[in-house]
Amino acid sequence: MSKSYEEIFKNNEIWVKEMLNQDANYFEKLASGQNPEYLYIGCSDSRATAEEIMGLQPGEVFVHRNISNVVNTLDMNATAVIQYAVDNLKVKHIIVCGHYGCGGIKAAMTPEDFGLLNPWLRNIRDVYRLHQSELDSITDEQKKYDRLVELNVQEQCINIIKMACVQERYLIDEYPIVHGWVFDMKTGKLIDLKIDFVKILKNIQKIYDLTNSNWMKSIKKK
Ligand code: CO
């Protein structure tokens, strides 16, 4: 697994040759612009990559990654990525992808002082609090850990739907659609959590609808 620093540049040369073998104009096309249909928000974990696990090529997915795939309204980085993806790139799908065995989730489940990480882990600890009765009822620690990974994905999806740019764009062309996934690295499989957003949103619409109810009316019709 270990690679020296210099090896990276050798790898790059090999990759450039391979791509040019497949298509002599590959890099000209790549440089001409991007038109991705997907925004992927995933964990920074080195094993939870975007393109590889989705089988996509450069240019096909706009990516944001941070510890435990958190979308916090005060995080200018994540919100700028989402705003740009929705307003400018007009992505059709926004994917929040967590992964089982996530170190950030494990740390958040551990009541300890993690220094600078504390405010970040607070986002996940708040997810635990929102779902405390369900999580506390799970006696198997591994299952509880896995479930918090899933619930964190769900809450981050809801955080995206709370954003005005997402609601406004959805009203105009019924995109983007927000999806919650988990990457199971023990099998390599992507699991669609099939979160029932309409059901969830019906409970919270009066709080988060930023479009004078028009947005929720359009969702309710479905
Ligand atoms: Co992780």
Side-chain angles (χ1 to χ4, degrees):
M1 290 289 267
S2 168
K3 282 191 172 70
S4 74
Y5 179 78
E6 288 77 16
E7 263 184 277
I8 301 287
F9 288 88
K10 282 182 199 152
N11 291 341
N12 175 253
E13 274 179 40
I14 294 165
W15 177 71
V16 169
K17 274 183 199 151
E18 275 174 11
M19 298 320 277
L20 290 174
N21 272 343
Q22 288 170 29
D23 179 355
N25 300 317
Y26 180 80
F27 292 103
E28 269 172 50
K29 287 179 195 162
L30 197 65
S32 70
Q34 63 170 336
N35 188 25
E37 289 197 3
Y38 309 97
L39 165 61
Y40 171 97
I41 299 173
C43 185
S44 294
D45 191 299
S46 60
R47 301 163 295 178
T49 59
E51 288 87 349
E52 286 85 351
I53 63 174
M54 294 167 78
L56 297 177
Q57 297 301 316
E60 292 185 310
V61 55
F62 203 59
V63 176
H64 178 76
R65 289 167 69 184
N66 61 37
I67 291 175
S68 300
N69 39 274
V70 164
V71 178
N72 181 298
T73 188
L74 297 176
D75 174 8
M76 283 289 290
N77 188 350
T79 53
V81 166
I82 294 167
Q83 181 106 21
Y84 184 75
V86 169
D87 288 350
N88 297 74
L89 298 174
K90 300 198 175 356
V91 294
K92 294 197 163 171
H93 303 275
I94 301 179
I95 296 139
V96 177
C97 185
H99 67 100
Y100 297 130
C102 182
I105 302 287
K106 187 78 189 168
M109 286 175 78
T110 314
E112 258 182 54
D113 182 357
F114 288 99
L116 278 174
L117 275 172
N118 288 334
W120 193 255
L121 298 177
R122 239 282 303 281
N123 291 295
I124 306 159
R125 289 180 169 135
D126 288 346
V127 172
Y128 195 110
R129 182 172 55 81
L130 279 170
H131 297 275
Q132 188 169 3
S133 56
E134 179 188 339
L135 288 164
D136 282 353
S137 73
I138 304 171
T139 49
D140 183 301
E141 278 302 308
Q142 184 62 43
K143 284 187 181 140
K144 188 186 294 198
Y145 179 17
D146 289 350
R147 186 62 185 139
L148 184 55
V149 166
E150 295 167 3
L151 290 169
N152 179 55
V153 166
Q154 176 178 308
E155 290 302 325
Q156 306 314 326
C157 288
I158 293 170
N159 285 341
I160 292 168
I161 294 167
K162 290 172 189 169
M163 292 177 68
C165 66
V166 174
Q167 296 179 13
E168 282 158 8
R169 169 95 196 291
Y170 188 85
L171 263 183
I172 296 165
D173 39 12
E174 301 198 336
Y175 286 108
I177 296 168
V178 181
H179 308 268
W181 293 356
V182 172
F183 174 53
D184 182 353
M185 53 181 75
K186 282 185 184 162
T187 63
K189 298 220 166 159
L190 281 174
I191 300 156
D192 186 341
L193 296 176
K194 295 195 165 65
I195 298 164
D196 188 346
F197 287 110
V198 175
K199 189 177 156 202
I200 293 167
L201 291 168
K202 276 179 183 167
N203 294 325
I204 62 171
Q205 59 169 303
K206 67 172 183 181
I207 308 168
Y208 297 110
D209 189 348
L210 306 180
T211 65
N212 298 322
S213 295
N214 293 326
W215 174 65
M216 277 314 303
K217 274 182 212 148
S218 80
I219 287 204
K220 267 193 211 164
K221 273 189 256 156
K222 291 179 181 267

mmCIF file with all atom_site columns, all heavy atoms in Angstrom, residues 43 45 68 99 102-104, ligand 1:
data_model
loop_
_atom_site.group_PDB
_atom_site.id
_atom_site.type_symbol
_atom_site.label_atom_id
_atom_site.label_alt_id
_atom_site.label_comp_id
_atom_site.label_asym_id
_atom_site.label_entity_id
_atom_site.label_seq_id
_atom_site.pdbx_PDB_ins_code
_atom_site.Cartn_x
_atom_site.Cartn_y
_atom_site.Cartn_z
_atom_site.occupancy
_atom_site.B_iso_or_equiv
_atom_site.pdbx_formal_charge
_atom_site.auth_seq_id
_atom_site.auth_comp_id
_atom_site.auth_asym_id
_atom_site.auth_atom_id
_atom_site.pdbx_PDB_model_num
ATOM   1  N  N   . CYS A 1 43  ? -17.154 11.301 3.392  1.00 0.00 ? 43  CYS A N   1
ATOM   2  C  CA  . CYS A 1 43  ? -16.167 11.416 4.465  1.00 0.00 ? 43  CYS A CA  1
ATOM   3  C  C   . CYS A 1 43  ? -14.764 11.559 3.865  1.00 0.00 ? 43  CYS A C   1
ATOM   4  O  O   . CYS A 1 43  ? -14.482 11.046 2.793  1.00 0.00 ? 43  CYS A O   1
ATOM   5  C  CB  . CYS A 1 43  ? -16.228 10.179 5.371  1.00 0.00 ? 43  CYS A CB  1
ATOM   6  S  SG  . CYS A 1 43  ? -15.132 10.305 6.808  1.00 0.00 ? 43  CYS A SG  1
ATOM   7  N  N   . ASP A 1 45  ? -12.265 10.121 4.895  1.00 0.00 ? 45  ASP A N   1
ATOM   8  C  CA  . ASP A 1 45  ? -11.600 8.809  5.032  1.00 0.00 ? 45  ASP A CA  1
ATOM   9  C  C   . ASP A 1 45  ? -11.012 8.373  3.682  1.00 0.00 ? 45  ASP A C   1
ATOM   10 O  O   . ASP A 1 45  ? -11.713 8.387  2.665  1.00 0.00 ? 45  ASP A O   1
ATOM   11 C  CB  . ASP A 1 45  ? -12.628 7.777  5.524  1.00 0.00 ? 45  ASP A CB  1
ATOM   12 C  CG  . ASP A 1 45  ? -11.971 6.478  5.944  1.00 0.00 ? 45  ASP A CG  1
ATOM   13 O  OD1 . ASP A 1 45  ? -11.319 5.820  5.093  1.00 0.00 ? 45  ASP A OD1 1
ATOM   14 O  OD2 . ASP A 1 45  ? -12.124 6.099  7.114  1.00 0.00 ? 45  ASP A OD2 1
ATOM   15 N  N   . SER A 1 68  ? -16.659 12.745 8.507  1.00 0.00 ? 68  SER A N   1
ATOM   16 C  CA  . SER A 1 68  ? -18.012 12.216 8.732  1.00 0.00 ? 68  SER A CA  1
ATOM   17 C  C   . SER A 1 68  ? -19.103 12.919 7.920  1.00 0.00 ? 68  SER A C   1
ATOM   18 O  O   . SER A 1 68  ? -20.249 13.002 8.367  1.00 0.00 ? 68  SER A O   1
ATOM   19 C  CB  . SER A 1 68  ? -18.377 12.228 10.221 1.00 0.00 ? 68  SER A CB  1
ATOM   20 O  OG  . SER A 1 68  ? -17.461 11.433 10.937 1.00 0.00 ? 68  SER A OG  1
ATOM   21 N  N   . HIS A 1 99  ? -20.067 6.114  5.773  1.00 0.00 ? 99  HIS A N   1
ATOM   22 C  CA  . HIS A 1 99  ? -19.496 4.764  5.655  1.00 0.00 ? 99  HIS A CA  1
ATOM   23 C  C   . HIS A 1 99  ? -19.428 4.112  7.030  1.00 0.00 ? 99  HIS A C   1
ATOM   24 O  O   . HIS A 1 99  ? -19.149 4.772  8.027  1.00 0.00 ? 99  HIS A O   1
ATOM   25 C  CB  . HIS A 1 99  ? -18.100 4.815  5.005  1.00 0.00 ? 99  HIS A CB  1
ATOM   26 C  CG  . HIS A 1 99  ? -17.054 5.494  5.833  1.00 0.00 ? 99  HIS A CG  1
ATOM   27 N  ND1 . HIS A 1 99  ? -16.133 4.782  6.581  1.00 0.00 ? 99  HIS A ND1 1
ATOM   28 C  CD2 . HIS A 1 99  ? -16.793 6.795  6.067  1.00 0.00 ? 99  HIS A CD2 1
ATOM   29 C  CE1 . HIS A 1 99  ? -15.343 5.640  7.217  1.00 0.00 ? 99  HIS A CE1 1
ATOM   30 N  NE2 . HIS A 1 99  ? -15.719 6.869  6.927  1.00 0.00 ? 99  HIS A NE2 1
ATOM   31 N  N   . CYS A 1 102 ? -16.788 4.516  10.412 1.00 0.00 ? 102 CYS A N   1
ATOM   32 C  CA  . CYS A 1 102 ? -16.326 5.906  10.328 1.00 0.00 ? 102 CYS A CA  1
ATOM   33 C  C   . CYS A 1 102 ? -15.738 6.351  11.677 1.00 0.00 ? 102 CYS A C   1
ATOM   34 O  O   . CYS A 1 102 ? -16.418 6.319  12.705 1.00 0.00 ? 102 CYS A O   1
ATOM   35 C  CB  . CYS A 1 102 ? -17.490 6.809  9.932  1.00 0.00 ? 102 CYS A CB  1
ATOM   36 S  SG  . CYS A 1 102 ? -17.018 8.535  9.738  1.00 0.00 ? 102 CYS A SG  1
ATOM   37 N  N   . GLY A 1 103 ? -14.479 6.757  11.631 1.00 0.00 ? 103 GLY A N   1
ATOM   38 C  CA  . GLY A 1 103 ? -13.781 7.150  12.855 1.00 0.00 ? 103 GLY A CA  1
ATOM   39 C  C   . GLY A 1 103 ? -14.403 8.366  13.535 1.00 0.00 ? 103 GLY A C   1
ATOM   40 O  O   . GLY A 1 103 ? -14.418 8.460  14.767 1.00 0.00 ? 103 GLY A O   1
ATOM   41 N  N   . GLY A 1 104 ? -14.916 9.308  12.736 1.00 0.00 ? 104 GLY A N   1
ATOM   42 C  CA  . GLY A 1 104 ? -15.543 10.507 13.302 1.00 0.00 ? 104 GLY A CA  1
ATOM   43 C  C   . GLY A 1 104 ? -16.808 10.164 14.071 1.00 0.00 ? 104 GLY A C   1
ATOM   44 O  O   . GLY A 1 104 ? -17.078 10.729 15.145 1.00 0.00 ? 104 GLY A O   1
HETATM 45 CO CO  . CO  B 2 .   ? -15.400 8.516  8.103  1.00 0.00 ? 1   CO  B CO  1
#
